[in-house]
């Protein structure tokens, strides 16, 4: 789970990393008061779980409380890369001398962690990484050893960071370990005009497997999540909303991923990823179908199941049940193959629902679902 900047800031502070004084609010009037308490000048920052807020106009340096109120009013409600801004953080401004980039990230390929650091941090870090990869140091971190001072010195040296950053590098590793994070990132980590090292922005991703230990961070209201995603999660479904029009349901992450590719190959865009998992029951299938059909963006649904542990007749049974519960208004294309496929197909054929058709192959099913979605979109 990703944290908001203000939550990351709080974690940093608890671990002794220097951060600006700051406070969060969802009201422009209160933003004015907070700015006053901070001394008048402030940085008003959108709190959304995505980067690039600065470039999107979601970070504004203001000169006085009145301007802070106006900036907050402007930023609240903004849409930044599909994320609605529901709160802003006001921070005491910092006089920036230099901007650095530092992060620790899980590196699945090596089975360890990577320290990534650059003396050219700030909003252009992606461009720096693309154009001058040598300006971004990547140092493997052995999780069993962690980042003692000697390692932090090596990281700082490799990236060309001043020695004053070493303490922050050690503490940031501590944040990662103690808070069960998969990623901690500070961009920019700044050196101020008076030589202090301050974390001006923070991104932290906690490991969902550690939720039970981090409950105080994981209590956010579901309002910020796609409500279908929370509904799916509550039913134990592996569902991710995407922005296309063909709903995709399959069993097994690999099969669902390739189904997304095949749909895209047919010139349509998948509306979601939904994996009903191995050994899925009729209940799970019905739940999955009901979630996907509730998405107003979905114009057609492709169910692609290869029965291994999952029996196709159970899937077919789930579809038949879901047809009673959800009463779909969108066409479904179903491809069943593998374990008990013949019985599954027969069940669906017997139900003979006017909106459900079957296809023999994955490619054929995807082509058909794509065509139905395009036809539905054109008809609107
Ligand atoms: P991001 O664009 O989402 O990464 O948001 P950041 O929090 O990193 O802010 C974007 C940029 O705003 C930073 O790279 C800084 O250049 C600038 N910025 C943020 N806080 C301050 C501040 O206190 N003073 C000054 N002068 N600039 C700031
Ligand atoms: Mn940033």
């Amino acid at each position: 789970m990703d944290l908001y900047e203000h939550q990351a800031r709080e974690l940093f502070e608890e671990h002794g990393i220097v951060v600006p004084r700051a406070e969060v609010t969802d009201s422009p009037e209160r933003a004015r008061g907070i700015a006053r308490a901070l001394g008048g000048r402030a940085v008003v920052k959108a709190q959304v779980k995505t980067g690039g807020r600065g470039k999107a106009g979601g970070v504004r340096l203001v000169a006085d409380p009145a301007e802070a109120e106006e900036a907050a009013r402007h930023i609240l409600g903004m849409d930044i890369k599909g994320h609605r801004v529901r709160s802003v953080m006001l921070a005491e401004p910092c006089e920036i001398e230099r901007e650095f980039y530092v992060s620790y990230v899980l590196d699945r390929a090596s089975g360890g962690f990577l320290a990534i650091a650059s003396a050219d941090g700030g909003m252009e870090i992606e461009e720096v990484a693309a154009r001058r990869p040598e300006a971004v140091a990547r140092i493997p971190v052995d999780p069993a050893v962690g980042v003692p001072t000697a390692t932090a010195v090596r990281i700082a040296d490799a990236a060309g960071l001043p020695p004053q950053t070493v303490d922050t590098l050690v503490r940031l590793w501590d944040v990662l370990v103690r808070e069960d994070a998969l990623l901690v990132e500070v961009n920019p980590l700044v050196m101020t005009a008076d030589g202090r090292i301050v974390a001006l922005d923070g991104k932290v991703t906690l490991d969902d497997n550690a939720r039970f230990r981090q409950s105080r961070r994981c209590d956010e209201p579901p309002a910020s999540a796609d409500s279908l995603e929370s509904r799916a999660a509550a039913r134990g479904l592996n569902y991710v909303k995407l922005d296309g029009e063909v709903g995709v349901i399959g069993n097994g992450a690999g099969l669902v991923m390739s189904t997304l590719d095949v749909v895209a190959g047919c010139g349509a865009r998948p509306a979601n990823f939904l994996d009903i998992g191995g050994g899925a029951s009729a209940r799970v299938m019905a739940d999955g179908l009901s979630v996907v059909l509730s998405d107003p963006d979905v114009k057609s649904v492709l169910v692609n199941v290869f029965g291994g542990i999952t029996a196709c007749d159970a899937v077919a049974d789930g579809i038949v049940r879901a047809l009673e519960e959800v009463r779909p208004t969108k066409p479904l294309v179903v491809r069943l193959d593998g374990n008990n496929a013949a019985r599954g197909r027969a069940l669906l054929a017997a139900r003979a629902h006017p909106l459900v058709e079957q296809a023999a192959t994955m490619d054929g099913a995807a082509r058909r679902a794509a065509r139905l979605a395009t036809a539905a979109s054109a008809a609107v």
Side-chain angles (χ1 to χ4, degrees):
M1 186 192 67
D2 293 341
L3 298 186
Y4 286 102
E5 177 194 18
H6 67 89
Q7 296 173 305
R9 181 198 160 280
E10 206 176 297
L11 283 189
F12 292 171
E13 191 171 38
E14 286 171 15
H15 288 267
I17 294 170
V18 182
V19 292
R21 283 201 295 150
E23 207 172 312
V24 179
T25 182
D26 57 5
S27 131
E29 292 79 17
R30 259 177 282 151
R32 177 192 282 252
I34 295 169
R36 195 176 302 120
L38 290 172
R41 296 176 63 237
V43 187
V44 185
K45 308 178 79 173
Q47 296 300 289
V48 278
K49 295 183 175 181
T50 181
R53 295 166 302 161
K55 286 186 178 172
V59 176
R60 267 177 62 184
L61 188 63
V62 298
D64 56 57
E67 208 186 311
E69 178 175 339
E70 185 219 305
R73 187 162 283 126
H74 178 76
I75 292 172
L76 285 165
M78 235 171 142
D79 185 282
I80 300 183
K81 297 182 188 164
H83 297 251
R84 180 76 49 201
V85 181
R86 297 174 201 279
S87 62
V88 291
M89 183 174 89
L90 285 94
E92 189 176 21
C94 227
E95 223 186 298
I96 301 175
E97 187 84 17
R98 295 177 65 189
E99 292 190 315
F100 312 122
Y101 173 94
V102 299
S103 66
Y104 295 115
V105 57
L106 176 64
D107 179 23
R108 294 186 194 275
S110 73
F113 282 82
L114 265 184
I116 305 176
S118 173
D120 291 322
M123 291 197 285
E124 306 301 328
I125 189 67
E126 276 88 9
E127 287 71 27
V128 172
R131 268 191 236 128
R132 288 186 299 118
E134 71 283 359
V136 181
R138 300 166 151 267
I139 315 278
V141 174
D142 179 345
V145 178
V147 183
T149 303
T151 309
V153 168
R154 272 206 301 126
I155 296 166
D157 276 353
L161 306 182
Q164 296 94 308
T165 59
V166 166
D167 179 62
T168 305
L169 286 167
V170 171
R171 290 176 190 274
L172 198 59
W173 178 261
D174 218 45
V175 173
L176 180 110
V177 174
R178 302 256 171 256
E179 308 295 336
D180 294 315
L182 299 173
L183 165 81
V184 291
E185 181 191 76
V186 184
N187 184 39
L189 176 70
V190 305
M191 181 181 247
T192 62
D194 52 358
R196 294 178 310 132
I197 301 295
V198 184
L200 269 206
D201 183 16
K203 176 169 182 197
V204 171
T205 305
L206 299 183
D207 186 344
D208 282 335
N209 296 306
R211 251 170 198 270
F212 69 100
R213 284 204 294 235
Q214 302 292 341
S215 50
R216 72 195 169 117
R217 310 271 167 213
C218 299
D219 53 358
E220 71 163 10
S224 68
D226 181 288
S227 64
L228 279 179
E229 287 191 353
S230 27
R231 217 171 101 192
R235 297 177 189 197
L237 294 168
N238 211 340
Y239 169 88
V240 181
K241 166 91 171 112
L242 303 170
D243 37 49
E245 54 290 324
V246 178
V248 176
I249 303 177
N251 63 322
L255 180 65
V256 180
M257 292 296 275
S258 25
T259 309
L260 301 185
D261 286 348
V262 175
V263 166
C266 295
R269 293 178 314 159
N272 66 277
F273 169 104
L274 199 160
D275 173 15
I276 58 170
S281 64
R283 179 73 258 151
V284 172
M285 184 63 222
D287 282 349
L289 203 50
S290 112
V291 166
V292 171
L293 286 169
S294 317
D295 177 353
D297 296 336
V298 165
K299 300 285 185 276
S300 69
V301 179
L302 168 55
V303 178
N304 186 17
V305 168
F306 190 89
I309 302 170
T310 308
C312 288
D313 53 340
V315 171
D317 189 32
I319 295 173
V320 170
R321 272 206 229 174
L323 292 173
E324 302 310 321
E325 291 170 20
V326 201
R327 309 211 161 272
T329 51
K330 303 154 187 178
L332 265 71
V333 182
V334 183
R335 177 259 184 167
L336 299 175
D337 209 345
N339 180 11
N340 278 355
R343 271 156 73 178
R345 290 183 197 145
L347 268 172
L348 281 184
R351 175 64 183 76
H353 192 286
L355 284 169
V356 179
E357 53 184 276
Q358 300 197 59
T361 67
M362 168 157 159
D363 285 345
R367 256 197 312 277
R368 183 68 187 140
R371 188 159 313 145
L372 287 167
T374 316
S377 302
V380 174

